[in-house]
Amino acid sequence: PNCSASTVRMHIMRYCEICGYSFKNKTISNQEKMSNRVIHWEYISEIGFIKALFKTLSQCLFQPSCFFDKINEKSSALSAWLFAVVIGSIAIVFELLWQQSSLSIFSSLFNSTDNRSVDLATLILFPIALSVNIYILSFYVHSLLILSKGKRQKFTATFIAVCYGQSAAVFYIIPYFGSLISFIWLFFLLIIGISQVHRLSRIRTGITIFFPVFISMAFLVFILLAVFSSAIIISTLFKDVISIFR
């Protein structure tokens, strides 16, 4: 800027607050590219696809508090969605690869042509299915935040946090156990991401998100126990009736 003011916040400003200097067509400096103040994925054109992908992925997975704290009203939902699709596509490729390697042991029982056709259909439809899944999860989380009066930001912020939470899918590159690790890490990132974006405690966020799940599981267990107990009681009564007629 003409006033020599700090450019630390240049990536979220269009004009200098002091002199009115326009940042509209300016790119971020090398120092800012390496800083923890930007989401690197949003600057693919400046730092490159691979570098932006790996920096965003590593920060989201291993420095989640710092990473999700960067999300603000200027963050791009489209960029976040694209990131989720890229990571998800990489994950599904490895998942299919491990499945095929497992099935190869029993290759005589399967038709390889059919398997390839199923895999191709999966790869084509996966981005659509993932997008729907992300939207439903975002809607579920945001609705719970509204009901619990914990909402601090708009739906877009929740959506962005859920999208970047898909970073956990990268663990699918680990054969056999990757899906389990990914599942656990996803909810870990989800709790941290939502708590940072909406400025809530992690305990409150975890309770808000998972309380309905726990209630549903408890209700399901209760139903199963009731059915099992009823079956035992009916079986006992039936035996007693049979013994009377004998």
Side-chain angles (χ1 to χ4, degrees), residues 52-64:
L53 179 65
F54 277 95
K55 280 189 171 295
T56 303
L57 189 61
S58 62
Q59 288 185 3
C60 185
L61 288 175
F62 306 114
Q63 296 178 318

Side-chain angles (χ1 to χ4, degrees), residues 1-10 13 16-19 23:
N2 298 328
C3 61
S4 300
S6 172
T7 60
V8 168
R9 296 179 61 230
M10 189 176 74
M13 296 170 55
C16 177
E17 296 174 338
I18 299 177
C19 67
F23 296 128

Side-chain angles (χ1 to χ4, degrees), residues 58-76:
S58 62
Q59 288 185 3
C60 185
L61 288 175
F62 306 114
Q63 296 178 318
S65 296
C66 178
F67 177 83
F68 286 106
D69 195 48
K70 304 173 189 177
I71 297 176
N72 53 52
E73 65 277 3
K74 301 294 184 180
S75 299
S76 172

Side-chain angles (χ1 to χ4, degrees), residues 94-114:
F94 277 94
E95 175 68 8
L96 293 174
L97 179 63
W98 303 140
Q99 287 181 4
Q100 289 297 321
S101 64
S102 300
L103 291 175
S104 63
I105 301 175
F106 308 99
S107 58
S108 60
L109 302 176
F110 296 92
N111 187 303
S112 59
T113 302
D114 290 340

Side-chain angles (χ1 to χ4, degrees), residues 35 48 82:
S35 72
L82 182 60

Side-chain angles (χ1 to χ4, degrees), residues 3 5 31 35 52 66 75 87 115 139 151-152 194 200 205 222:
C3 61
Q31 181 179 1
S35 72
C66 178
S75 299
I87 295 299
N115 287 337
F139 181 79
K151 182 182 75 69
R152 299 289 187 273
I194 297 302
L200 302 171
T205 303
F222 174 78

Side-chain angles (χ1 to χ4, degrees), residues 49 59 83 85 95 104 129 131 144-145 168 175 201 212 220:
F49 177 83
Q59 288 185 3
F83 177 83
V85 171
E95 175 68 8
S104 63
S131 300
L144 291 177
L145 291 173
S201 69
L220 179 60

